[in-house]
Amino acid sequence: MVEEIEDHAIILLDKEGNVETWNKGAEKIKGYLAGEIIGKNFRTFYSDTDRQLDLPTRLLNEASTTGSACHEGWRIRKDGSRFWGDITITAVHDESGEVTGFAKITRDLTERTQSERTIKKHLQELETRNKELEQFVYIASHDLQEPLLNVNNFVELLQHEYAPQLDETAAMYLDVINQSTERMRDLIKGLLDYARLGKEKYLSTVDCHQLVGTLVKDLATNIALSGAEIQCADLPTLAAYPVELRQLFQNLIGNAIKFRKLDTAPQISISAERADRFWKFAVRDNGIGINPAFKDKIFLIFRRLHGRDTYDGNGIGLAHCKKIVEMHGGEITVESKPGEGSTFFFTIPNVDLQSH
């Protein structure tokens, strides 16, 4: 059975480390046929540097003393190429307890090692990109807002000091400039909020039912003006990021109120059910609905489906929702038909706070 195993090199060594047996896995991993290697010392598989450091002898001594020795490192094939080997050497004893030889098992982990290095490289690149993004956020929060503020100030001065000299067209131009700069300031603020999201996150126990109840009180004015009715089933208590989770519910409830049908009071229901290792939440409304062609695009930052004359906002609320859900390790989706309302589903892992 041992001889037929191909994914592990399993061999026996004598007390000096000379090869006594050779299976198919050893032939595949190391490249030697049995007749070429049996009788030769296992030091053949080690690099010149490892031999100079006497690593093979130290591994045999460790196995003799403690019963086994483990090591990972580069090994040499017959053709001179290297592979990353994970080896375990176990001492073999006779009836009197004397070491008579060793059993050696080798796994070729070259692909895994290369994958780990690739991942590490990508993580380093990602860290660099994140630092560049932080620098951009800093510039956006300071350098970009300052000239916009200057433009707003000078427009106000023009409107105030030269109002008698301005005709209707000139006044309209200044209003457009003012609206555009305000719009840009809102976009910059939205971008900053998105970039900062989760910067100082911390897990704690959150009672979702109580959280939604507090939100309903905070949104009382909008709820009263729209005539909205909000029904909330028993929601779970779970480990989450409280600030971000509050913003998630606030955005979804706010959107359900905002995107309502004319002359129809919003009907919003919030529920949750246990699904394997997750809690699956559903926020349903009877609003204007979403064209199925846009159900994925709505989660992109600054993506709007309606003109600003009809619905205000920057198109960033659902992007926030997606980022918050993914921060928790969940997913968010939507099911909707135009004119029939929407249901936003999102999952939050049911984790043990003590494990974090």
Side-chain angles (χ1 to χ4, degrees):
M1 182 183 67
V2 170
E3 288 178 356
E4 294 299 316
I5 293 175
E6 295 188 2
D7 56 350
H8 287 68
I10 304 175
I11 63 176
L12 289 178
L13 309 174
D14 64 17
K15 291 176 62 175
E16 285 71 38
N18 297 313
V19 178
E20 293 185 327
T21 66
W22 197 251
N23 74 332
K24 287 186 177 180
E27 180 180 328
K28 179 180 178 181
I29 293 174
K30 300 176 187 289
Y32 293 93
L33 298 175
E36 297 175 309
I37 197 66
I38 289 179
K40 294 185 178 179
N41 198 278
F42 85 117
R43 290 169 176 78
T44 303
F45 312 133
Y46 288 79
S47 66
D48 291 338
T49 301
D50 285 341
R51 288 198 293 266
Q52 289 172 5
L53 295 173
D54 209 17
L55 177 61
T57 300
R58 289 191 284 115
L59 290 174
L60 293 185
N61 290 340
E62 181 182 347
S64 298
T65 303
T66 64
S68 66
C70 299
H71 188 265
E72 280 193 23
W74 291 110
R75 301 293 182 265
I76 309 300
R77 296 188 180 94
K78 176 185 175 183
D79 61 7
S81 63
R82 299 192 309 168
F83 69 95
W84 187 265
D86 172 30
I87 65 107
T88 300
I89 299 176
T90 304
V92 179
H93 302 83
D94 61 17
E95 294 179 356
S96 64
E98 293 292 324
V99 175
T100 59
F102 303 91
K104 180 173 179 289
I105 300 176
T106 302
R107 289 188 301 157
D108 183 356
L109 300 181
T110 307
E111 289 186 6
R112 189 201 72 178
T113 303
Q114 291 173 341
S115 297
E116 289 175 349
R117 290 185 176 184
T118 300
I119 292 172
K120 185 177 180 180
K121 181 181 177 182
H122 287 167
L123 287 175
Q124 290 173 341
E125 292 175 351
L126 182 60
E127 185 177 354
T128 300
R129 296 288 177 86
N130 284 338
K131 289 181 179 178
E132 293 173 351
L133 178 59
E134 289 177 3
Q135 183 67 21
F136 170 76
V137 169
Y138 176 82
I139 293 172
S141 63
H142 295 85
D143 297 354
L144 291 182
Q145 293 196 60
E146 185 176 347
L148 285 176
L149 183 60
N150 286 335
V151 171
N152 272 345
N153 290 338
F154 278 100
V155 168
E156 289 177 2
L157 287 173
L158 279 171
Q159 290 174 325
H160 178 71
E161 296 182 10
Y162 293 88
Q165 302 175 38
L166 299 176
D167 58 18
E168 290 184 3
T169 302
M172 181 194 69
Y173 289 164
L174 289 177
D175 285 338
V176 171
I177 294 173
N178 229 348
Q179 292 173 13
S180 297
T181 54
E182 286 293 335
R183 166 71 178 152
M184 188 171 292
R185 287 178 65 183
D186 289 342
L187 289 174
I188 291 172
K189 183 181 181 301
L191 181 62
L192 293 174
D193 291 341
Y194 185 80
R196 292 190 186 113
L197 199 61
K199 270 287 186 182
E200 300 178 359
K201 62 184 181 181
Y202 64 94
L203 276 177
S204 65
T205 301
V206 180
D207 184 336
C208 294
H209 196 85
Q210 183 179 1
L211 174 63
V212 173
T214 302
L215 272 175
V216 170
K217 293 178 182 178
D218 293 342
L219 297 171
T221 301
N222 284 343
I223 292 173
L225 290 174
S226 64
E229 293 184 10
I230 299 178
Q231 297 179 345
C232 183
D234 289 334
L235 301 179
T237 297
L238 43 73
Y241 304 117
V243 175
E244 287 77 10
L245 192 63
R246 175 189 170 89
Q247 186 171 353
L248 170 63
F249 278 110
Q250 182 173 325
N251 287 351
L252 292 177
I253 295 172
N255 276 359
I257 294 174
K258 180 195 297 186
F259 297 105
R260 60 185 182 272
K261 290 182 284 191
L262 294 176
D263 303 323
T264 302
Q267 300 287 329
I268 305 166
S269 68
I270 304 171
S271 60
E273 62 180 6
R274 186 75 173 270
D276 195 14
R277 296 178 294 104
F278 293 83
W279 281 100
K280 185 175 182 179
F281 292 80
V283 180
R284 296 180 172 86
D285 64 58
N286 63 337
I288 61 174
I290 302 167
N291 188 319
F294 301 117
K295 70 176 185 177
D296 294 323
K297 296 179 181 179
I298 61 173
F299 295 107
L300 300 177
I301 191 169
F302 299 139
R303 181 56 62 94
R304 293 176 52 91
L305 304 184
H306 307 280
R308 294 185 183 87
D309 293 337
T310 308
Y311 299 100
D312 61 356
N314 298 322
I316 197 172
L318 289 177
H320 278 170
C321 292
K322 184 173 188 293
K323 187 172 181 179
I324 291 168
V325 171
E326 291 178 349
M327 278 169 47
H328 285 84
E331 296 180 346
I332 185 169
T333 57
V334 62
E335 292 182 2
S336 181
K337 290 182 180 179
E340 298 184 16
S342 304
T343 302
F344 285 87
F345 297 98
F346 64 90
T347 55
I348 302 292
N350 182 30
V351 300
D352 182 4
L353 186 60
Q354 293 182 349
S355 66
H356 287 69

